[in-house]
Amino acid sequence: MKKKTVGKTRHVVAWMNKAEYEHVLEYLFSKEPALQKHALQRISAWKGRFGQSTPVAVDSTADLVRCQVLDSTGQMEANDLVLLYGMALVRFVNLITERQQKRVARPLRRLAGNINIPEWVVNLRHDLTHRRLPSLKWCRKGCGFVLDWLHQEYWSRQMSSQLTEDWNASSEEEDEEEFAKRHEEELLRRQKEIDAHKKVRELLISYEREQFQTYEELAKQGMQRGVWPDASADLSWILTQIKLFSTEARDILIDVLMQDGFLIPTAEQLESLDIDSSEDSVDMFAPCLPREFLHFWLPCLKVLNSSIFLNLILDKLFAELSNEPSSHRTYYIASWISEIFLCNSKSELKAHKRLKISKDRIFINRLQFPWQNLISTCVNAPCPATPFLLRQILSDMDKPLPHDAQQNLLRLCSIYTQGYHENSSPGPSDPTQPVYTLQNLQDRLKSNTSQNRDALRSVQAPPTEDLQEKLSAETIQERNFALRGSAWSVCTDKVPWKQYPLGKVPGQPEDPSCLMVECYSTFTVFDQQVELDQLPQHHGNRSGPLQSRVSGADGPLWTHSDLSKLKAGLQLF
């Protein structure tokens, strides 16, 4: 018998020898554009030899290096470079994960994680294909990381004679049968959720049908609105089924309650309950749940009033607000949030315990809410009612924030939501409060105008004697002494200076020559007479240079340099 031997599998490559491969590898990652261009030319030759069998790593490396070469020229716009880098990165992520896909598609993040590609590179590819284009800085960062990854995972492996297929294969590839089993389990789980969702919806519709029937009977009997009887046998059974779902499928129950037609009423439902649904009847800045609608859902909510459920439904209500719903949904979502806070209010609890009234309350005992998280959640879901809801949270906290912090938070919230209601923002009529917005400033100006109308009238009146400068006799004497011997004198007339533009005096014509004196003469600088005895006397060495230029016995009073500067037509009057 011949001994069975296992031979190595041979692979055809495009480079002539190992030296050429090392040469291209060195030039590709040299960071020198000229050397990189040479390497790209050699890879183009390789592609001619490979044909359709060019390795994915070689193709992706060439694309990314070509982007760096074009970027280094400085002749391309940033947007063009983003598109260039983006195409290369998208092709890289798609090509390296393509061979790992099986008959059932798997997420790119999982496939990329199997070969040590970080999630942020996959997210960068997702932004490039589905969302707003990332910045050029992130594209360059992604290109640099991918090139380093290719150098380590492919080019260096080729140097150690490892097979190309080793790079493409995943070291942690899941078994196809196991993955198919997981996929089947996922489908079963989704189908179970769909069935539970359908059943919960049918139960809530049955609940509504019973409540509407009860309301119609009350209307026929002429009973007082808001007074609902105890639950019937059919309604009690429905409530029992709902309570079971609150433990088995709590999240599904909350999702269905948030849909239109349940906790968010439709226009037809409001009309059936005789609730005014016009825009004039609602206050978006201080939402309040209609009592008839609250009593309609009270039996259901009292069954579900556990601490866990109420915390979850609060989170869901705020999450719905953050999705920027319609004004109708916003009002009722905010109204339910306000109603829950109102039931938990310290003052309301004391009042209801004193009066022993609890029929119109969702829950009686005070709950412990995560107040700090509620503040963040409320601010992150801005709407016109946010200042109102935030004020409820701040007033009910077990450990309230400092007063200054509360006021600043309410002011910032009012500015952000552009809602001005009650004390959520500084009053415009209060002069001690700073101005935050244009509307705030306009309100303050109106208030100041009405309060200081008499003062404004006096300011706008024609100038009177009180507006003139009052000069004492000593001041007038000092000014006259300073102007003695000149053509000017101090004006003591009561002149309405407000009527004259700056730079003009009463009786002054438009011709500026009127400011010239009647008699004057001119002489050149050369004819200027300098009285030696009027020159300042300097002492010490510091006055030596100046004194030699001005009062020297033999030298001129002015140097030639000084004269050349002054003789350019300068005349003295």
Side-chain angles (χ1 to χ4, degrees):
M1 295 179 61
K2 291 184 179 180
K3 187 177 180 179
K4 194 173 182 179
T5 59
V6 179
K8 293 184 177 180
T9 305
R10 295 182 178 273
H11 295 275
V12 178
V13 294
W15 44 91
M16 297 179 62
N17 47 43
K18 189 175 181 179
E20 182 184 3
Y21 180 86
E22 293 177 350
H23 177 76
V24 172
L25 172 60
E26 180 182 358
Y27 280 17
L28 275 176
F29 298 94
S30 64
K31 306 298 182 182
E32 292 291 334
L35 300 180
Q36 288 177 322
K37 283 183 180 180
H38 178 75
L40 291 175
Q41 292 173 359
R42 297 308 308 155
I43 291 180
S44 297
W46 290 2
K47 288 184 178 181
R49 300 169 189 168
F50 271 127
Q52 299 295 329
S53 303
T54 304
V56 171
V58 175
D59 214 358
S60 297
T61 305
D63 292 340
L64 293 167
V65 171
R66 188 175 293 106
C67 294
Q68 290 185 337
V69 172
L70 293 174
D71 193 359
S72 65
T73 61
Q75 298 177 358
M76 296 188 66
E77 298 290 339
N79 293 335
D80 298 336
L81 288 172
V82 169
L83 294 175
L84 197 66
Y85 278 115
M87 177 57 72
L89 290 170
V90 169
R91 279 178 51 80
F92 165 76
V93 176
N94 291 346
L95 291 174
I96 67 166
T97 57
E98 185 178 14
R99 294 191 180 184
Q100 297 185 75
Q101 290 287 7
K102 301 298 181 181
R103 288 182 299 178
V104 180
R106 287 181 286 180
L108 287 181
R109 289 180 176 85
R110 181 190 301 175
L111 300 178
N114 292 338
I115 50 177
N116 299 324
I117 294 293
E119 186 175 350
W120 68 268
V121 175
V122 181
N123 292 337
L124 188 63
R125 176 258 179 200
H126 182 76
D127 292 343
L128 286 163
T129 53
H130 301 294
R131 302 179 64 183
R132 185 178 178 181
L133 291 176
S135 64
L136 179 58
K137 177 182 177 182
W138 274 102
C139 290
R140 287 170 174 165
K141 182 178 179 181
C143 177
F145 176 85
V146 170
L147 283 176
D148 291 340
W149 186 90
L150 287 168
H151 184 278
Q152 178 181 357
E153 296 293 330
Y154 176 80
W155 295 91
S156 297
R157 283 190 172 191
Q158 290 293 330
M159 291 292 294
S160 58
S161 300
Q162 292 192 16
L163 299 181
T164 308
E165 283 76 9
D166 293 342
W167 178 82
N168 288 314
S170 171
S171 59
E172 300 177 2
E173 185 175 354
E174 297 178 354
D175 184 75
E176 185 176 349
E177 294 181 359
E178 182 181 354
F179 183 80
K181 182 179 179 181
R182 291 185 180 182
H183 181 68
E184 185 178 355
E185 292 176 354
E186 180 69 16
L187 291 177
L188 291 175
R189 185 186 63 82
R190 290 182 181 179
Q191 185 62 40
K192 186 177 179 180
E193 288 182 358
I194 293 173
D195 295 340
H197 188 279
K198 183 178 179 180
K199 189 170 183 179
V200 169
R201 186 176 177 85
E202 291 175 352
L203 278 173
L204 293 177
I205 291 175
S206 300
Y207 170 86
E208 289 182 330
R209 190 180 297 114
E210 289 289 331
Q211 288 293 82
F212 276 120
Q213 185 176 355
T214 303
Y215 184 81
E216 290 176 359
E217 293 176 356
L218 291 175
K220 289 179 181 179
Q221 296 174 5
M223 297 183 65
Q224 184 179 359
R225 296 177 63 185
V227 180
W228 290 67
D230 295 334
S232 61
D234 293 339
L235 186 61
S236 298
W237 182 87
I238 294 173
L239 291 176
T240 303
Q241 298 300 314
I242 292 176
K243 187 172 180 63
L244 289 176
F245 269 96
S246 67
T247 56
E248 298 174 0
R250 186 183 295 114
D251 294 337
I252 297 176
L253 177 60
I254 293 176
D255 289 340
V256 177
L257 284 172
M258 290 297 106
Q259 294 177 0
D260 291 341
F262 297 104
L263 291 185
I264 313 300
T266 62
E268 293 78 7
Q269 290 175 332
L270 293 176
E271 185 179 356
S272 300
L273 294 173
D274 296 329
I275 299 175
D276 187 6
S277 60
S278 62
E279 295 182 359
D280 298 335
S281 62
V282 299
D283 185 1
M284 296 297 295
F285 299 110
C288 181
L289 203 64
R291 294 297 94 183
E292 294 83 359
F293 190 66
L294 173 62
H295 292 151
F296 184 90
W297 282 101
L298 262 180
C300 178
L301 295 177
K302 283 186 176 181
V303 169
L304 305 172
N305 67 354
S306 65
S307 177
I308 298 175
F309 179 84
L310 290 172
N311 277 284
L312 288 175
I313 202 168
L314 268 181
D315 292 341
K316 184 64 176 179
L317 288 167
F318 277 118
E320 290 292 322
L321 273 185
S322 64
N323 294 331
E324 299 182 1
S326 62
S327 58
H328 177 78
R329 282 185 62 86
T330 298
Y331 177 78
Y332 278 94
I333 290 172
S335 297
W336 280 114
I337 296 173
S338 176
E339 187 65 32
I340 294 174
F341 288 151
L342 188 63
C343 291
N344 205 56
S345 174
K346 300 175 184 177
S347 58
E348 290 291 327
L349 282 172
K350 291 180 180 179
H352 281 78
K353 286 181 178 179
R354 183 174 66 252
L355 299 175
K356 297 182 180 180
I357 300 173
S358 61
K359 290 185 177 181
D360 58 344
R361 297 176 62 82
I362 302 173
F363 56 95
I364 300 175
N365 298 324
R366 181 173 170 81
L367 302 178
Q368 297 297 326
F369 290 135
W371 297 108
Q372 295 291 344
N373 293 339
L374 282 179
I375 291 177
S376 301
T377 306
C378 182
V379 173
N380 290 330
C383 70
T386 301
F388 178 77
L389 300 177
L390 184 60
R391 197 179 307 111
Q392 285 186 293
I393 296 174
L394 294 175
S395 62
D396 292 340
M397 295 178 66
D398 296 326
K399 296 180 180 180
L401 298 176
H403 180 72
D404 293 343
Q406 294 186 28
Q407 293 301 315
N408 292 335
L409 187 59
L410 288 171
R411 290 193 186 102
L412 291 173
C413 185
S414 299
I415 295 170
Y416 186 67
T417 58
Q418 293 299 302
Y420 305 95
H421 183 77
E422 295 182 359
N423 296 325
S424 62
S425 62
S429 61
D430 188 0
T432 62
Q433 296 291 349
V435 175
Y436 288 95
T437 63
L438 179 59
Q439 182 66 33
N440 193 263
L441 178 61
Q442 292 173 349
D443 293 343
R444 178 175 298 185
L445 290 176
K446 291 179 181 179
S447 176
N448 292 340
T449 302
S450 61
Q451 293 177 0
N452 304 320
R453 187 173 295 136
D454 296 335
L456 291 174
R457 286 177 179 175
S458 63
V459 171
Q460 295 173 356
T464 60
E465 293 184 359
D466 296 335
L467 298 178
Q468 308 300 319
E469 184 181 14
K470 295 181 179 180
L471 301 178
S472 63
E474 296 179 355
T475 303
I476 295 176
Q477 184 177 1
E478 290 178 0
R479 295 184 179 182
N480 286 330
F481 180 79
L483 297 173
R484 186 175 56 184
S486 68
W488 300 92
S489 62
V490 178
C491 177
T492 58
D493 299 336
K494 297 186 181 298
V495 180
W497 293 105
K498 190 175 181 180
Q499 300 178 2
Y500 298 95
L502 184 65
K504 293 190 66 174
V505 295
Q508 176 183 343
E510 297 295 334
D511 187 6
S513 62
C514 67
L515 298 177
M516 299 291 293
V517 295
E518 296 180 358
C519 299
Y520 63 89
S521 60
T522 63
F523 58 91
T524 63
V525 175
F526 298 101
D527 299 330
Q528 180 185 9
Q529 300 296 325
V530 180
E531 299 291 341
L532 296 179
D533 55 350
Q534 294 181 359
L535 293 173
Q537 299 297 325
H538 300 277
H539 303 282
N541 295 332
R542 291 179 298 173
S543 61
L546 179 61
Q547 195 170 7
S548 65
R549 292 177 59 195
V550 178
S551 60
D554 299 329
L557 296 178
W558 302 91
T559 65
H560 290 287
S561 177
D562 294 333
L563 291 175
S564 63
K565 296 178 181 178
L566 294 172
K567 67 181 181 180
L570 182 62
Q571 293 182 341
L572 300 177
F573 293 85

